[in-house]
Amino acid sequence: MVAADSGPLIALARLDLLRLLPRHFDEVLVPGEVFAECTVHPQRPGARAILSARESGLFECVEVTGTEQFAADHLLDAGEAAALILARDRACPALVDERKGRRVARQLGIPVVGTVGILLVARKAGDVDALAPLFDALSSFGYRVPTDLMCEALRRAGEI
């Protein structure tokens, strides 16, 4: 099981790889706040793929309470707060890319996985052919992957 924030969902949607999530997690939970963030503007890149993924049952939307106070206490946006609350309450990892969200998760003892981790696992499982073109695509979308993280993932995948 994993509780997803919007950043990784949008990144995987733009790569047309949302299908990876249920291949690597028995349950994918998306807080209502996160789903709304991702789909409130259906013309935005990735929004239609996320809508379709929900309709096809790739993930379950879950309502989360207490996000406003949690977000204020930890200086997070509502989606990140909801994903971390859900991960904490369900004792599962959080799928979060934002540095601040990852830091708060670690402080609370919540395991974290990110887009790069999902892609690396998928590469090792043979679900994607190579990471380098995916990282290039993410970069072209304006998605920032730290160079050291990208190099480590490429090394672990045997691509460098």
Side-chain angles (χ1 to χ4, degrees), residues 23-86:
R23 288 185 186 175
H24 300 284
F25 298 99
D26 292 333
E27 276 187 273
V28 180
L29 306 175
V30 176
E33 291 91 337
V34 169
F35 184 75
E37 281 179 18
C38 294
T39 60
V40 68
H41 300 290
Q43 74 281 6
R44 283 193 179 158
R48 292 189 196 283
I50 292 167
L51 285 165
S52 294
R54 180 183 183 192
E55 290 170 9
S56 66
L58 286 179
F59 60 81
E60 176 186 350
C61 275
V62 178
E63 291 309 313
V64 177
T65 60
T67 57
E68 286 182 29
Q69 188 60 52
F70 189 94
D73 290 348
H74 298 285
L75 304 174
L76 300 172
D77 71 32
E80 284 175 314
L84 293 181
I85 290 169
L86 187 56

